[in-house]
Amino acid sequence: MLSVILILIAAIFFTGVIIRTKSLASGRKGPGLLQPVFDVVRLFRKGVVYSETTSFVFQIAPTIYFASVIMAMLVVPFGQSRGVLSFNGDFIFFAYVLGLGKFFSIIAAMDTGSSFEGMGASREALYSMFAEPAFFILMGSLALLSGHTSFQEIFAALHIGSQISYALAALATFVLLMIAMIESSRMPIDDPKTHLELTMIHEVMILDNSGFDLGLILTAGYVKFAIYGALIVNLFIGVIPYQYAIPSFFGIQFLMAVAIGLIESFMARFRMSHNPQFVVALTSVSLLIFFGVLLILEKFI
């Protein structure tokens, strides 16, 4: 339960830190750290408008998407504390419950009958399909290294102490950070602030969502970012005492938000045709981690 509380607290400030970093990098003061939360609260107070061309799929998709992210959050551990749900193979459950929410958001976009939203849905599905092998190779490698198949046992058994383990942790951090940005369609894959429909991905999928439903989608996005940040934190904190682990959790989450803000400030988005190449390249990085694990276990023939 501790991980759920920490993730929710981080989600409240995470997007605000990204926006403030981008504002400072461009020489502006920017909005307050809680402005994204205020925006979501305002949306929750509004009604929802549904197009007459949409079916019940469009109406239930935001709720399922939000519920899928909450379910994924329940299996994320924090150091020696297990997640609310913890069992062997829970990282597979984590990936596919997020995939279920993504599936409903994609078919909801296609349900609108809009060519723009269908285009965004096809891009979202393509990038998610390419990112999936990178996640499973990474988690499979860590499971092989630790000898366990649940999130908490994998992270608890990791021992960061040798040069190879430092390298593996750095590569795993890079893979998880990039997957988080791909899943949220942020830079360098996409610009969340773009208003050009032909280049949008996630944003174009939710053009027809409004009010409470849009608030659910935005809240799920904030929580999903904090979830991936929590996975990165677990790579490093192991089973250290809570008095050190909790400040480390917020410190690493803050550094991750600042890093994303700086990336989005100083890095141009890729050409759309180059995005699949970049996403597939993450699988190569995960394979490096896999070979590193084989090297540590002395299983190279």
Side-chain angles (χ1 to χ4, degrees):
M1 195 63 189
L2 179 59
S3 62
V4 173
I5 296 172
L6 294 176
I7 288 172
L8 291 178
I9 294 174
I12 292 174
F13 298 98
F14 200 103
T15 305
V17 173
I18 294 175
I19 295 174
R20 176 59 69 88
T21 302
K22 293 171 66 176
S23 300
L24 294 176
S26 59
R28 297 179 289 112
K29 181 180 178 181
L33 293 180
L34 294 178
Q35 187 58 47
V37 178
F38 295 150
D39 294 341
V40 167
V41 172
R42 189 181 72 251
L43 288 172
F44 280 144
R45 292 175 178 172
K46 293 186 176 181
V48 181
V49 177
Y50 295 115
S51 168
E52 294 180 353
T53 63
T54 58
S55 68
F56 73 97
V57 173
F58 182 80
Q59 298 179 20
I60 65 173
T63 304
I64 295 179
Y65 179 64
F66 178 79
S68 70
V69 174
I70 297 300
M71 288 298 295
M73 178 178 63
L74 296 182
V75 303
V76 176
F78 175 66
Q80 55 187 307
S81 173
R82 293 178 179 272
V84 176
L85 301 176
S86 180
F87 48 89
N88 289 334
D90 56 5
F91 68 85
I92 300 175
F93 172 81
F94 172 86
Y96 283 111
V97 76
L98 287 179
L100 176 66
K102 182 66 70 66
F103 170 75
F104 271 91
S105 66
I106 288 172
I107 62 173
M110 298 178 69
D111 189 45
T112 62
S114 165
S115 57
F116 282 131
E117 295 196 36
M119 178 184 63
S122 65
R123 290 171 177 168
E124 187 98 354
L126 178 68
Y127 297 162
S128 297
M129 181 183 70
F130 286 157
E132 188 174 290
F135 177 80
F136 279 114
I137 293 175
L138 168 64
M139 293 309 304
S141 302
L142 296 181
L144 178 65
L145 178 64
S146 63
H148 300 285
T149 57
S150 73
F151 267 140
Q152 196 274 334
E153 292 174 335
I154 290 173
F155 291 130
L158 290 178
H159 299 289
I160 306 297
S162 65
Q163 292 182 345
I164 293 180
S165 62
Y166 278 123
L168 293 181
L171 290 175
T173 300
F174 173 76
V175 172
L176 289 175
L177 181 61
M178 288 298 108
I179 289 177
M181 299 181 75
I182 292 167
E183 288 290 307
S184 304
S185 292
R186 302 189 74 99
M187 299 279 269
I189 300 300
D190 188 26
D191 184 356
K193 294 299 182 184
T194 184
H195 298 293
L196 181 59
E197 289 87 348
L198 288 174
T199 62
M200 294 164 73
I201 302 176
H202 182 73
E203 298 300 315
V204 76
M205 291 175 56
I206 58 175
L207 281 179
D208 279 7
N209 289 104
S210 59
F212 188 85
D213 286 351
L214 183 58
L216 284 178
I217 295 172
L218 294 179
T219 303
Y222 301 159
V223 174
K224 185 188 286 188
F225 247 127
I227 288 174
Y228 279 104
L231 293 181
I232 293 174
V233 171
N234 276 294
L235 286 172
F236 297 95
I237 61 173
V239 291
I240 63 176
Y242 287 134
Q243 60 265 34
Y244 303 111
I246 293 177
S248 300
F249 177 90
F250 290 111
I252 294 176
Q253 290 269 12
F254 177 78
L255 291 176
M256 179 178 168
V258 172
I260 292 173
L262 292 175
I263 290 173
E264 294 189 359
S265 298
F266 297 105
M267 186 172 182
R269 62 175 293 168
F270 293 150
R271 288 174 53 187
M272 194 62 73
S273 58
H274 289 177
N275 285 340
Q277 301 170 7
F278 174 77
V279 179
V280 172
L282 284 181
T283 302
S284 303
V285 179
S286 292
L287 284 174
L288 286 178
I289 297 173
F290 175 67
F291 292 134
V293 169
L294 292 181
L295 187 63
I296 293 175
L297 297 177
E298 298 180 349
K299 290 190 175 182
F300 265 122
I301 297 177

